[in-house]
Amino acid sequence: MLGILLAIPVLGGLTMLQTAVISRSPLLNGTADLILVGLIAWSLHERVQSAWYWALAGGLMVSYVTALPFWTMPAAYLGAVAFARLIRRRVWKAPILAMLAAVFAGTVVVHLFSLLAVSVQGTLLPVIDVINLITIPSLVLNLLVALPMYVVLHDLANWAYPEEFDV
């Protein structure tokens, strides 16, 4: 229950930080997606049970502040969390490798959903330009943010879901 309650202040703070600070410092046209990286870091922790709630809450918060259709970000974040939960089972001995792989795949998923949503609205963008100017720079920034975000949210998850000892 504590993990679910933590979603609002943590994701709300990341959303405010992303919209106020991170969006003002792009690399080419790409920016880091703090909510995506935070969701992946949270969902890679072995004791976390609230990753799906976090993905839905983060998607709704980001949908509120973006011009994309309302369904885009919750669907993209749920897909990214699903991949992170899947990779956590497969690469459980190397959590940093799992984090980097999940951030890479999650960034691609979010950008594919965004490109699909913009295309459905009738705006056709050149895919090569989108990849070169938005997706790759965003991927680089997300990978730079991934390790610090993993450390912070891993410690928060350890606090929210303490390890149980047999006495």
Side-chain angles (χ1 to χ4, degrees), residues 138-155:
S138 296
L139 182 60
V140 168
L141 292 172
N142 284 348
L143 289 172
L144 285 173
V145 172
L147 296 179
M149 186 74 74
Y150 178 79
V151 170
V152 170
L153 287 179
H154 189 76
D155 286 345

Side-chain angles (χ1 to χ4, degrees), residues 12-24 32 34-35 61-62 64-66:
L14 288 176
T15 303
M16 287 188 285
L17 185 63
Q18 181 171 328
T19 56
V21 177
I22 300 299
S23 66
R24 306 286 188 252
L34 296 181
I35 291 91
M61 285 181 192
V62 173
Y64 183 71
V65 297
T66 63

Side-chain angles (χ1 to χ4, degrees), residues 11-108:
L11 293 173
L14 288 176
T15 303
M16 287 188 285
L17 185 63
Q18 181 171 328
T19 56
V21 177
I22 300 299
S23 66
R24 306 286 188 252
S25 56
L27 176 64
L28 295 178
N29 290 327
T31 59
D33 190 347
L34 296 181
I35 291 91
L36 171 69
V37 177
L39 290 173
I40 290 171
W42 183 257
S43 62
L44 284 176
H45 195 278
E46 63 273 358
R47 291 189 303 267
V48 165
Q49 302 162 354
S50 59
W52 301 107
Y53 299 109
W54 276 55
L56 188 59
L60 293 174
M61 285 181 192
V62 173
S63 290
Y64 183 71
V65 297
T66 63
L68 291 171
F70 191 72
W71 59 269
T72 307
M73 297 315 285
Y77 286 164
L78 285 169
V81 166
F83 182 77
R85 299 295 278 188
L86 177 71
I87 201 169
R88 181 181 60 85
R89 289 189 208 129
R90 305 280 186 237
V91 192
W92 63 275
K93 288 287 186 188
I96 301 302
L97 176 63
M99 178 69 182
L100 295 176
V103 166
F104 183 91
T107 302
V108 171

